[in-house]
Amino acid sequence: KVFLKISFALLVIGTGIGLRFLFDFISGDGEGHIQSLILASIIISASFQLGLFGLLADAISANRKINEELLYRMKKIQYDQLNAKKENLYLVDDLLLTDREKQLKDK
């Protein structure tokens, strides 16, 4: 989100500089302002790169959150299975069953 805000600010600045050059060019005084055009193109390019970095950072963040949730769930299932074995319980379809209940369910 921070990268996207900075990217938008740079896009506005680059567009402003580009419009200034365009105004000077249309009015006939654009010959000596090529530096403004180069600066505008560099700033707008940096803006797009920062925007892409922002999108990439958001995607990585979302992926990390999903991975953390999956890891938590896997550890919870493993822990429940270990406890079930200690207590002669079985984890079937996310339900803890005793020996008798498991035999009835298997039939």
Side-chain angles (χ1 to χ4, degrees), residues 31-47:
E31 299 276 328
H33 297 285
I34 299 298
Q35 298 90 346
S36 296
L37 182 62
I38 294 170
L39 181 65
S41 66
I42 290 172
I43 291 175
I44 290 173
S45 296
S47 168

Side-chain angles (χ1 to χ4, degrees), residues 91-107:
L91 187 64
V92 179
D93 298 328
D94 292 334
L95 299 173
L96 287 175
L97 303 176
T98 62
D99 289 330
R100 175 84 173 127
E101 292 170 333
K102 185 177 184 290
Q103 289 172 356
L104 291 174
K105 183 165 178 101
D106 289 341
K107 290 181 182 181

Side-chain angles (χ1 to χ4, degrees), residues 2-71:
V2 174
F3 283 110
L4 293 176
K5 290 177 184 177
I6 295 172
S7 171
F8 182 72
L10 284 177
L11 183 64
V12 169
I13 292 169
T15 304
I17 293 172
L19 288 175
R20 177 179 167 261
F21 170 78
L22 189 62
F23 176 75
D24 287 342
F25 185 76
I26 290 174
S27 66
D29 191 30
E31 299 276 328
H33 297 285
I34 299 298
Q35 298 90 346
S36 296
L37 182 62
I38 294 170
L39 181 65
S41 66
I42 290 172
I43 291 175
I44 290 173
S45 296
S47 168
F48 282 121
Q49 286 181 343
L50 275 175
L52 289 176
F53 289 152
L55 292 174
L56 185 62
D58 284 343
I60 290 171
S61 173
N63 190 23
R64 180 185 49 79
K65 288 177 184 174
I66 291 170
N67 282 338
E68 285 177 356
E69 179 66 25
L70 286 174
L71 180 62

Side-chain angles (χ1 to χ4, degrees), residues 61-91:
S61 173
N63 190 23
R64 180 185 49 79
K65 288 177 184 174
I66 291 170
N67 282 338
E68 285 177 356
E69 179 66 25
L70 286 174
L71 180 62
Y72 169 77
R73 288 183 182 193
M74 287 179 64
K75 284 183 177 181
K76 186 176 185 311
I77 289 171
Q78 288 175 349
Y79 180 75
D80 288 344
Q81 286 176 345
L82 284 175
N83 281 340
K85 286 180 183 176
K86 287 179 184 175
E87 299 173 5
N88 292 329
L89 297 175
Y90 299 94
L91 187 64

